[in-house]
Structures are given as C-alpha cells and as structure tokens.
Amino acid sequence: MSDGISFAVSATDGAARLGALATPRGVIRTPAFMPVGTAATVKAMYPEAVRALGVDVVLSNTYHLMLAPGAERIAALGGLHKFMNWPHPILTDSGGFQVMSLAKLRKLSEKGVAFQSHIDGSLHELTPERAMEVQRLLDSDIQMQLDECVRLPCRPEEAERAMRLSLRWAERSKSAFGEQPGRAIFGIVQGGAEKELRISSARALVAMGFDGYAIGGLAVGEPQSVMIDMVETVIPHLPEGQPRYLMGVGAPDDLLQSLARGIDMFDCVMPTRAGRHGMAFTRRGRLNLRNARFADDPRPIDPSSSSPVARTYSRAYWRHLVKSGEILAMMGLTEINLAYYQDLMAGARRAIGQGRLSAFIDETRLAWREGEAEDT
C-alpha cells in the first residue's frame, strides 16, 4: 500500500474480518459503514454530529463536487477536509456510478465520459485522468478509479464491454494517481452478474497492484441472491492483506451477509435518504413513521440506540414532525438511522472478535422479525 496507509486484520470469524485501515488522518475500523456526503455534506447532519455517532470515514463524490463548487475552488480553500470541517478520512467515488445514473445526460467513449450538467446543462468531460486530478485536488484519502457501472440485469456482452473498458480506465487511473504518500487508490471489480467476467476483472486489477479493491455494479436492480453470489465469486481472487469494499450496498441484512463473506467497507445513501422520508431503522426492524398507528405511540424509536434522540422522543412525536414536514424530522431521523448503522457495525466487530458472528446475525435478524410482527 502507499506510504502512510496500512491495513491489518486482527481477528477472523469464518470469512469475516476484524480489521483497521490506518491513514494519516485516522484509523478506519472495519467492517465499516461510510455515510454518504455526496456534495461535501452528510445531508441534514453537522460533521461534528456525524463523528459523535462513531463514524470514522465519510464518502464524497467526484462528479458532483467537480460541478459545484468545483475542485479547483475547494483546493484553493484548503481542500475538502477543511472545506467541510471533517478532519478525518474521506473516500471519494470517482463518478462511475453517474455514468449509469445520468445515462441520458452523457456520451461514453474510450477517452471517458462527456456529461451535460444536471444543474445547468453545461458540458463537462470526465476521463480517468480528470477523475484522479479532481480527487487529488480534493485531497481525499482513498481515491477510486473511474469505471463504468451497468444496471442489472443486462446482457453478458454488455457487461463484458463495460468491464473491459473499466479495466483500461483502471490502468489509466492508476497511472494518473501516481505517487501520493498517505493516500490510497482502489480498483473496482466489474462484470455484471457474470461469474467469469467478475473473476477476470478481479485478477486483472490485482495484477495492476491497487491499494484496495472494490466490488462495484451491485445493488443496481438485482436480487440479494445475485449480489451474494457475486461477492462469493470475487472474494477468493482478492488479496487477503488488503481492504475489500462493496460499493453502494446498504440494506442492513445485505451488510451482515456481505461482511460475513469477507467484505470490510460499505457505503449507501439508504439510511440518510430513508430518514428524510420518515423511515427509521431500529433493532426491532424498520418503522414507517407516516403510518397512522404511530400517532398515539408513546414509546421511543429505539431505547437501545446510541443516539439520545432515538431514546428520548416518542414515536408519536416523530410521526407528528414527519406529517408536518418539519425540518427537525429529517435531522433527527437521519441521526437515528446513522446511529443504527454504526451500532450494527460495532456489534459485528465485537462479534467477530469474540468468534460469535453467526449468533450475532441470527439474534439481529430475529429481533427484526419480532419487532415487525409486533408492529403489524
């Protein structure tokens, strides 16, 4: 790995790993869930409040920050950490997901992606070289290669085309990353739902010598069984001594099933987006606070949560805030959800260290089922 960056596994339980990814800006305890701060903010949360939940690292996005306020501007203002008042590790997504999600606004070529801005219609080009330049300007700690993500299901030949292009972009991204002591670059395994393509992608990336490896192109329309199958397919072909990152996967059960198979890092907008729309994640399952049954419910959201607001205010009060469109509902439920995700990861880390991950997963899933049955 790059000078100043190291990854160590301190315990295993089956395929699951308890580890630590050390960077100059702090240690990322793994398995880790990274809240998404796309535009230099975890929506509805102050950075200090995010940190207080036990978060070690957040994710921001190359494409969005390139458009506004601009990578050069952020660099002139002291870099992304100073700009958003987050002195801890930051991972930046290269913009590959937007190649898929903004397909109607882009043209793809061997060189890169030409985008029409979703903000003002202006034209921009994102090549592997420009993606790495933007991430260097942002001064992110973990930088991602530019790749092409395809939506599933897709034809095998389309998955192969995108995977081969992503490998060529991986070589260019790594070359453009150059030498950055204290920073890391991760390659991204692609290949759709095709096992042989996934294996070929993983082997080629490992041969290039990245600092860590992500599995991309999942949680994009496929069932959980396909996602797990792809994780199980790829893991044996990744180095044991380097971090493994499953991109964009965030349903709690998906996290547990994936970390049990050897994944170290996750990110997803699910907990923050759900909070802004009246959904709370708890140890007893999900609560849709728009539901009328919570109108007279005096119980707290989750009396076992690490978040004080989850333990203090009633479900009836949260429902009132949600139905009234109050900003406090978005703020409070986002905090509650991120606290739940951090609590879930902390519980998994403890369980791996104690050699009881399987029991922890069974207990967690049982509590979800019992809680959901209780609230029907």
Side-chain angles (χ1 to χ4, degrees):
M1 300 190 76
S2 302
D3 292 343
I5 297 274
S6 64
F7 179 68
V9 174
S10 57
T12 60
D13 185 356
R17 293 131 55 100
L18 176 65
L21 176 55
T23 80
R25 289 193 172 99
V27 174
I28 301 167
R29 297 164 293 174
T30 63
F33 179 82
M34 299 180 285
V36 175
T38 298
T41 175
V42 176
K43 288 181 172 63
M45 294 283 290
Y46 282 107
E48 299 88 344
V50 174
R51 179 65 173 177
L53 299 175
V55 173
D56 295 329
V57 53
V58 299
L59 178 147
S60 284
N61 184 268
T62 295
Y63 165 81
H64 289 280
L65 292 174
M66 178 183 74
L67 294 185
E72 286 76 10
R73 175 170 288 154
I74 291 174
L77 291 167
L80 184 56
H81 298 80
K82 183 177 181 181
F83 186 63
M84 65 183 290
N85 195 30
W86 179 264
H88 317 292
I90 295 175
L91 181 148
T92 42
D93 182 0
S94 66
F97 182 77
Q98 282 70 42
V99 175
M100 179 191 72
S101 65
L102 300 177
K104 294 181 179 179
L105 300 175
R106 57 82 170 162
K107 291 184 178 180
L108 192 70
S109 69
E110 184 69 31
K111 182 180 180 183
V113 191
F115 283 100
Q116 184 178 13
S117 169
H118 68 285
I119 300 172
D120 60 11
S122 59
L123 298 179
H124 301 265
E125 188 175 57
L126 191 63
T127 65
E129 293 77 17
R130 176 57 175 163
M132 302 318 300
E133 179 186 29
V134 170
Q135 293 179 83
R136 185 187 288 260
L137 288 166
L138 297 175
D139 195 24
S140 62
D141 304 278
I142 302 173
Q143 303 172 24
M144 305 300 298
Q145 71 149 104
L146 183 64
D147 65 325
E148 182 187 356
C149 178
V150 294
R151 193 176 299 279
L152 296 179
C154 74
R155 293 176 291 109
E157 52 268 33
E158 176 66 7
E160 181 170 12
R161 183 203 59 75
M163 183 272 281
R164 300 294 177 194
L165 178 62
S166 294
L167 286 178
R168 296 192 293 274
W169 285 359
E171 290 184 303
R172 290 166 55 189
S173 295
K174 191 169 186 297
S175 177
F177 176 83
E179 298 296 327
Q180 296 188 51
R183 307 291 179 267
I185 179 172
F186 283 18
I188 304 175
V189 177
Q190 291 289 356
E194 307 301 320
K195 289 185 177 183
E196 290 305 315
L197 295 182
R198 289 283 179 176
I199 292 170
S200 295
S201 178
R203 288 175 173 171
L205 290 169
V206 171
M208 295 179 201
F210 284 89
D211 299 315
Y213 299 90
I215 302 175
L218 296 174
V220 290
E222 81 286 356
Q224 186 193 57
S225 59
V226 172
M227 180 203 74
I228 291 172
D229 193 22
M230 292 303 101
V231 169
E232 291 178 342
T233 296
V234 170
I235 288 289
H237 303 280
L238 299 180
E240 292 186 3
Q242 290 173 285
R244 305 159 179 166
Y245 165 28
L246 183 56
M247 303 182 75
V249 172
D253 191 52
D254 289 348
L255 302 184
L256 294 178
Q257 297 304 317
S258 300
L259 68 85
R261 289 163 170 80
I263 296 294
D264 304 300
M265 301 168 66
F266 305 91
D267 81 280
C268 191
V269 299
M270 184 175 290
T272 48
R273 181 175 290 169
R276 297 194 306 275
H277 290 87
M279 182 79 73
F281 287 92
T282 81
R283 284 171 173 78
R284 305 283 289 176
R286 304 184 195 190
L287 304 179
N288 181 356
L289 292 160
R290 295 184 178 277
N291 196 303
R293 70 171 180 268
F294 296 116
D296 298 300
D297 192 336
R299 295 174 296 169
I301 293 287
D302 187 345
S304 301
S305 173
S306 62
S307 167
V309 297
R311 303 191 306 266
T312 306
Y313 300 97
S314 70
R315 298 178 182 189
Y317 181 62
W318 287 116
R319 181 181 187 276
H320 158 68
L321 295 180
V322 168
K323 295 294 287 184
S324 300
E326 289 290 340
I327 294 172
L328 184 58
M330 302 180 191
M331 295 170 61
L333 293 176
T334 297
E335 176 180 324
I336 287 168
N337 288 346
L338 288 181
Y340 175 73
Y341 273 62
Q342 295 306 312
D343 292 347
L344 185 66
M345 292 297 100
R349 290 193 295 267
R350 284 193 301 271
I352 295 168
Q354 296 165 357
R356 59 178 308 275
L357 180 63
S358 180
F360 172 76
I361 292 174
D362 288 344
E363 292 161 4
T364 301
R365 299 176 84 181
L366 177 61
W368 292 337
R369 291 194 298 270
E370 289 179 344
E372 289 166 357
E374 178 182 285
D375 285 321
T376 56

